[in-house]
Amino acid sequence: MNKFEKLHETLMREMRLIHAPVAIKYFFDQEELDSFKKNQPHYSPIKPLTFCQSEVGARMEGITVIVERENLGCTNASFVFGWKDLDESEVKSHLKYCADADHARQVLEAKPHVPANLLAVAVSPLAAMTVQPDVVHFVCDTMQAYHIIGDWMATQRIDNFHPSMSVNSAVCSGNVYTLNTKQANLYLACSGSYNSGKTERGEINVAIPGEHIEALVQRLEDRVTQKGGASITRLGEPFPGAAICKNCPLIIFKKEREA
């Protein structure tokens, strides 16, 4: 296995993930994009999709999808990616989330934006990625998120975690925040990613800078080796977030001697 396959396999096994970790790469250089297309098997949406719908291909179907301006069918993501200007139609679409039109405009202006001249975005299962991703995105449950964020904080020596969430821009701007700041992010599904992006009600989003993912997985592997399991909440247990009270006298197991 290559590096990314090993990282993927460890995360799926030890974190008990349902969805594949999604490696995201933002392309600003045409030569780099052309090389990626030449060397990485990939798919393109037949019809324009939202960005979170394109990610479904990576996290559920295990394929690499390249999102370009012409096959992105979401004005909100287009605005975040710099492929669309802020206009009155975008302000109007945010009124249901905001106090009034002025507030809606402020919300839009405050959203994380991709740096200028974005050409395309590739989303891929981490195991299938052939270049260093900018962001690794997890769709997971809250205890899995607790472990992933906790390990990231430890490896980066973070003492207080400050996530960022924009209304109506979960997967698009939530991951761009991590791209721009090189900080992890934790954010809820928006109405678009809940319906279009197929996010379940009990799932939450975690974004980790791509350059930090190896250290995070190494810490996870070290805990498994040293303590016997991935869990932080109950050291030694293999299930992340095992729900057993510390002093519970009932849920105890012992290894029987072989006959």
Side-chain angles (χ1 to χ4, degrees):
M1 291 191 291
N2 67 30
K3 174 178 69 175
F4 296 123
E5 288 173 325
K6 291 177 181 177
L7 294 171
H8 183 118
E9 195 274 337
T10 298
L11 287 164
M12 293 296 294
R13 182 185 69 246
E14 302 299 345
M15 284 292 99
R16 310 293 176 91
L17 297 173
I18 294 175
H19 301 282
V22 178
I24 306 175
K25 177 67 177 176
Y26 300 85
F27 291 95
F28 302 91
D29 179 79
Q30 188 64 54
E31 187 175 332
E32 184 181 23
L33 176 59
D34 292 343
S35 175
F36 184 85
K37 287 181 175 181
K38 179 180 179 181
N39 296 307
Q40 172 112 16
H42 62 276
Y43 293 73
S44 296
I46 294 176
K47 295 182 178 181
L49 299 178
T50 66
F51 181 68
C52 42
Q53 285 174 331
S54 293
E55 265 212 12
V56 169
R59 68 183 174 90
M60 291 186 179
E61 297 187 26
I63 60 175
T64 298
V65 178
I66 294 182
V67 180
E68 297 178 277
R69 186 191 296 251
E70 61 270 20
N71 55 37
L72 180 59
C74 173
T75 62
N76 195 34
S78 294
F79 171 67
V80 170
F81 290 167
W83 293 342
K84 176 184 182 295
D85 294 331
L86 197 166
D87 56 24
E88 290 307 312
S89 65
E90 204 62 35
V91 172
K92 185 177 180 180
S93 73
H94 281 68
L95 286 176
K96 63 182 178 180
Y97 305 104
C98 302
D100 51 35
D102 287 339
H103 181 219
R105 188 174 292 275
Q106 291 170 3
V107 164
L108 283 159
E109 291 172 345
K111 289 186 180 186
H113 289 77
V114 174
N117 302 316
L118 177 70
L119 299 175
V121 186
V123 291
S124 174
L126 181 59
M129 189 51 101
T130 56
V131 299
Q132 178 66 43
D134 297 308
V135 178
V136 179
H137 174 209
F138 299 85
V139 177
C140 55
D141 67 35
T142 56
M143 270 291 105
Q144 291 164 337
Y146 179 81
H147 282 69
I148 295 167
I149 290 292
D151 281 340
W152 175 80
M153 291 178 68
T155 59
Q156 303 304 310
R157 305 185 70 84
I158 302 295
D159 51 45
N160 202 314
F161 174 55
H162 298 279
S164 172
M165 189 184 83
S166 301
V167 296
N168 199 30
S169 295
V171 178
C172 50
S173 72
N175 289 319
V176 169
Y177 171 83
T178 294
L179 169 71
N180 291 343
T181 64
K182 306 303 179 186
Q183 299 292 305
N185 200 9
L186 177 74
Y187 56 93
L188 306 174
C190 66
S191 57
S193 68
Y194 171 59
N195 295 310
S196 299
K198 307 304 179 187
T199 305
E200 298 295 335
R201 290 177 65 95
E203 293 175 332
I204 197 166
N205 296 278
V206 174
I208 299 293
E211 57 263 50
H212 297 169
I213 197 67
E214 288 184 71
L216 185 155
V217 174
Q218 185 61 60
R219 177 176 169 84
L220 169 61
E221 291 180 328
D222 290 346
R223 185 166 61 253
V224 172
T225 300
Q226 296 166 11
K227 303 297 182 181
S231 179
I232 296 174
T233 55
R234 190 173 172 85
L235 286 175
E237 292 289 330
F239 188 82
I244 300 174
C245 299
K246 183 163 64 173
N247 296 319
C248 181
L250 299 177
I251 309 176
I252 300 174
F253 303 94
K254 68 174 183 176
K255 186 175 182 179
E256 296 290 351
R257 295 179 180 178
E258 296 182 359

